[in-house]
Amino acid sequence: MQKRVLAINDISCIGRCSLTAALPIISSFGVNTTVLPTSILSTQTGGIDDYTYHDLSGDIPGILSHWKKLGISFDAIYTGFLGSSEQVDMMLSLFSEFPDAFKLVDPVMGDAGSLYSSFPADFPQHMKKLCEKADLITPNMTEAALLLDEEYIKPPYTCDYAEALAERLYARYGAKVIITGMHFSYTEDILGRKTDFLGALLFDGKDYEYALSEHIPGFFHGTGDVFASTLMGAHMQGEELGQALHTALDFTYRSIEKTVELGQDPRFGLAFEYFLSENGKDLV
């Protein structure tokens, strides 16, 4: 039976992130993808000025009510950007209506050690409540620190630090954890030459699984959305989380490579379109 995923995020009309990434990527795995937009923006916000922003909080209750009348159900729910504590509360209510759905919370709050400027200082306290109801959380290093009320540590990281951080998140929230955007630096040979790696760590409460690729210099917007969407699609197609982790990392890395090869402006997202057809190759 075809799985149905509800993807909840903003729509950045230009930028290949959030729902404009989630819808095509999850769908490419043969998954019925329903979307619930939390806001609509003219572009994504990183490195771009004068963008428009429209909050859709007032529309969400009516949409959910209509779906309820139609008897719509979901096998999984994936949340990304939530623009306010009010929207977090809406998601908490939604989660309670679908207790058997797999719930992935990408706690979009910040990057590079700082809370996004659009959020009030107390926003992490609200996001924590949603993470407590998740089956899987996928914070980056900044968001992991915010969720634990800890100081942000700059990269590169050691495996010991990464694993201890994942353990603390698991203990605090009771959800499986994938920490994204982890930058490691390894010495390759006796000459001291180093290769930088970037990737993610999965901790399921018992075992660790790393997925790493060579670090491509630059800041590529929408990378986390592409990663989480691929992870969700692969998992709903039947891959265990450890396998889906590697699928997501490989898809994201190749999309970054292609973006660089094409010379595209990294502010406008990753060129993931070139690889979508490969995601459904094993569908029967």
Side-chain angles (χ1 to χ4, degrees), residues 117-243:
S117 59
S118 60
F119 291 128
D122 67 344
F123 185 78
Q125 304 308 314
H126 298 277
M127 184 59 74
K128 289 175 184 179
K129 297 176 184 178
L130 194 62
C131 289
E132 290 171 354
K133 304 299 182 182
D135 296 298
L136 172 67
I137 59 175
T138 59
N140 61 30
M141 293 299 292
T142 298
E143 292 153 354
L146 290 169
L147 290 174
L148 292 170
D149 296 313
E150 295 182 0
E151 180 183 358
Y152 170 74
I153 304 299
K154 293 182 178 180
Y157 303 107
T158 66
C159 291
D160 286 343
Y161 174 74
E163 291 171 11
L165 185 66
E167 288 178 7
R168 292 196 295 277
L169 286 165
Y170 181 85
R172 170 64 179 82
Y173 293 99
K176 295 177 182 178
V177 178
I178 293 178
I179 305 177
T180 64
M182 304 196 79
H183 185 183
F184 297 90
S185 183
Y186 293 98
T187 299
E188 270 201 337
D189 57 28
I190 59 172
L191 298 178
R193 293 177 297 191
K194 291 184 177 180
T195 299
D196 289 333
F197 290 92
L198 195 66
L201 166 65
L202 164 66
F203 180 59
D204 62 6
K206 181 181 178 182
D207 298 316
Y208 305 98
E209 181 76 25
Y210 287 90
L212 302 174
S213 63
E214 279 196 49
H215 178 223
I216 299 174
F219 191 86
F220 299 88
H221 293 277
T223 302
D225 296 319
V226 170
F227 177 89
S229 299
T230 309
L231 180 83
M232 175 59 87
H235 188 48
M236 287 297 102
Q237 193 189 52
E239 293 185 8
E240 296 295 331
L241 277 179
Q243 182 182 2

Side-chain angles (χ1 to χ4, degrees), residues 90-103:
M90 291 177 185
M91 297 307 107
L92 286 168
S93 177
L94 179 66
F95 278 15
S96 68
E97 292 186 24
F98 298 97
D100 297 327
F102 175 78
K103 300 172 183 68

Side-chain angles (χ1 to χ4, degrees), residues 12-90:
S12 292
C13 297
I14 292 178
R16 288 185 293 191
C17 61
S18 308
L19 287 183
T20 57
L23 179 57
I25 291 174
I26 299 174
S27 297
S28 72
F29 285 94
V31 177
N32 182 344
T33 309
T34 300
V35 299
L36 180 62
T38 58
S39 58
I40 183 167
L41 300 90
S42 56
T43 67
Q44 68 85 15
T45 61
I48 299 175
D49 297 323
D50 301 323
Y51 54 85
T52 67
Y53 175 86
H54 180 65
D55 187 291
L56 295 176
S57 296
D59 297 282
I60 292 174
I63 293 171
L64 295 178
S65 177
H66 187 210
W67 290 351
K68 191 172 184 178
K69 290 177 182 178
L70 293 173
I72 302 298
S73 62
F74 304 101
D75 296 288
I77 301 173
Y78 156 37
T79 67
F81 176 81
L82 302 174
S84 65
S85 59
E86 178 187 10
Q87 289 189 353
V88 173
D89 289 340
M90 291 177 185

